[in-house]
Amino acid sequence: MSLDPVQVMKGQDPMPSTCPATSNGDIKASREDNKDTHENVGSTTKPKPPKPENAVTIAVSSRVLFRTEKEQKVFEQKGIEEYLRYQVEHENEPFAPGPAFPFVKALEAVNGRLRELYPESEELFDIVLVTYNHAHVGIRLINTINYHNLFIERFCMTGGTSPIGYLKAWHTNLYLSADAEKVQEALAEGIAAATMFMPEKQIKVSETQLRVAFDGDAVLFSDESERIFKAHGLDKFFEHERENENTLLDHGPLKGFLEVLGQLQKKFYAKGHRLDCPIRTYLVTARSAASSGIRALKTLRAWGLEMDEALFLAGAPKGPMLEKIRPHIYFDDQMFHVEGAVEMGAIAAHVPYGIAQKYPHKKSSNTDK
């Protein structure tokens, strides 16, 4: 199975034919009118977005938030001028939801709960729409956002240039894209990033609880242990982990994102909502629990990070577990595992980081990573 970012989407709802040109309304309305985004469905009143320095900023490419395959073909086959003309001619036709859409809706649901508990706080998710598009396309994107009742006030339309510099200015905590090269560029700049994929038929995900699943090595942790396995084999890997059981693993590219999720979780815990917290995190690793899992758990504990659930699969396929978890997004550094997740209907994202990127992905592999 070979995946191209976002291009595996089939069997989705057809694109609506028209989009009402509604307005996002006045974002400076009083706090009394803005207790919960969900209370304002159908209204022009929207909450005020938080300041970037206070928020958990999620930058999302338009190509993963929405389905733009048709438009991409126009660009590739007919060039930029015809592409821009097409977008203007169809600006009242909303894009259909893409692989990041359920994730963004879940972020907004969490924001609604946070506003109920902390009306004055700006510690919220802030979604920034990032696109290489020319500003002309912005009208269609705004129409689509209003059609789907999303709260996205911040846009970054770069007109074909790299958005990475802007991501740093936004204090971005996570960047999701369909462009693997830009994801690698973001990772090189220290920004958590991943290339998103979507199954042909997506499993239903929760509308009230954000579920985020992480692989361990080369995602939350560094690729130190993976390098031992690649160079010396499984037995040497086990020996290395036993000898270094009390030595913390170094951080990986997604550690910071898990940290901010944990900070928001603690705000719910402080109000007595540990058991019904709208954020739930999962560690899904091919490590074995007894032989190599203890080092991972000790590292997370030393970092002060709580993982709601930890699954040590000892080399077993991850797809069936992810089918049960039903995450809004699952992060893994190996395409083999991303493909396995997609086959089971889960939304997965590839983190192109670490030594595994230099090796082919074989389905017959029975590694401990």
Side-chain angles (χ1 to χ4, degrees), residues 171-187:
H171 305 278
T172 300
N173 297 98
L174 177 67
Y175 173 49
L176 299 175
S177 176
D179 189 329
E181 291 184 2
K182 290 298 179 289
V183 166
Q184 291 175 326
E185 187 179 343
L187 289 171

Side-chain angles (χ1 to χ4, degrees), residues 54-355:
N54 298 330
V56 176
T57 301
I58 311 297
V60 183
S61 163
S62 59
R63 286 179 58 196
V64 296
L65 183 57
F66 304 121
R67 294 184 60 186
T68 62
E69 302 98 313
K70 184 186 300 184
E71 290 73 18
Q72 188 69 17
K73 286 183 180 179
V74 172
F75 172 75
E76 293 171 354
Q77 297 173 3
K78 299 183 179 180
I80 182 65
E81 297 303 325
E82 185 61 31
Y83 169 81
L84 292 174
R85 186 179 302 110
Y86 179 91
Q87 292 282 34
V88 171
E89 290 174 353
H90 295 80
E91 65 184 21
N92 289 322
E93 299 177 10
F95 296 111
F101 190 90
F103 177 65
V104 168
K105 292 293 286 185
L107 298 179
E108 294 187 347
V110 173
N111 278 354
R113 291 282 302 277
L114 284 169
R115 288 190 177 98
E116 290 174 355
L117 298 173
Y118 300 92
E120 304 294 330
S121 177
E122 288 197 331
E123 291 183 70
L124 303 162
F125 291 111
D126 189 23
I127 298 100
V128 178
L129 184 64
V130 178
T131 174
Y132 302 122
N133 276 304
H134 188 279
H136 283 333
V137 184
I139 294 176
R140 188 177 185 190
L141 289 170
I142 292 171
N143 285 342
T144 300
I145 285 170
N146 287 329
Y147 178 86
H148 291 295
N149 201 33
L150 297 173
F151 180 56
I152 301 177
E153 296 287 0
R154 307 193 198 278
F155 277 37
C156 184
M157 293 176 279
T158 67
T161 62
S162 174
I164 303 304
Y166 295 112
L167 296 182
K168 299 182 75 173
W170 286 117
H171 305 278
T172 300
N173 297 98
L174 177 67
Y175 173 49
L176 299 175
S177 176
D179 189 329
E181 291 184 2
K182 290 298 179 289
V183 166
Q184 291 175 326
E185 187 179 343
L187 289 171
E189 292 294 327
I191 300 169
T195 310
M196 286 203 77
F197 296 85
M198 188 171 184
E200 293 183 2
K201 291 186 178 180
Q202 179 190 343
I203 55 177
K204 184 176 176 58
V205 294
S206 173
E207 296 180 358
T208 58
Q209 184 181 63
L210 171 66
R211 298 178 185 176
V212 183
F214 300 87
D215 179 31
D217 297 283
V219 176
L220 293 178
F221 314 123
S222 73
D223 66 340
E224 166 207 327
S225 298
E226 176 110 5
R227 288 179 177 274
I228 298 295
F229 168 73
K230 295 296 186 184
H232 303 290
L234 193 57
D235 290 340
K236 189 66 176 179
F237 167 81
F238 286 142
E239 179 183 340
H240 176 267
E241 294 302 293
R242 285 192 297 269
E243 291 176 351
N244 291 276
E245 177 183 311
N246 295 312
T247 301
L248 300 185
L249 290 157
D250 199 1
H251 68 85
L254 270 293
K255 178 203 172 189
F257 181 54
L258 177 60
E259 284 179 328
V260 294
L261 290 179
Q263 291 166 12
L264 293 181
Q265 283 181 308
K266 288 176 181 178
K267 292 174 73 71
F268 289 103
Y269 300 167
K271 295 288 188 177
H273 291 285
R274 176 179 285 271
L275 296 181
D276 64 340
C277 180
I279 302 173
R280 193 164 184 83
T281 56
Y282 304 78
L283 175 66
V284 183
T285 174
R287 280 176 175 255
S288 302
S291 58
S292 57
I294 192 168
R295 189 182 183 196
L297 293 178
K298 285 185 175 181
T299 298
L300 290 171
R301 185 171 63 184
W303 288 346
L305 299 180
E306 295 185 32
M307 193 69 72
D308 293 302
E309 298 188 29
L311 285 74
F312 294 94
L313 303 183
K318 297 182 179 182
M321 297 297 104
L322 293 167
E323 182 185 23
K324 299 301 181 184
I325 293 171
R326 299 175 179 265
H328 292 87
I329 191 167
Y330 166 63
F331 298 99
D332 203 296
D333 67 305
Q334 298 197 47
M335 278 302 302
F336 165 71
H337 293 305
V338 171
E339 291 172 357
V342 168
E343 286 177 356
M344 302 303 294
I347 297 176
H350 180 229
V351 181
Y353 175 85
I355 191 67

Side-chain angles (χ1 to χ4, degrees), residues 20-26 43-46 142-143 146 153:
T22 57
S23 169
N24 263 351
D26 183 5
S43 168
T44 58
T45 304
K46 296 274 184 168
I142 292 171
N143 285 342
N146 287 329
E153 296 287 0

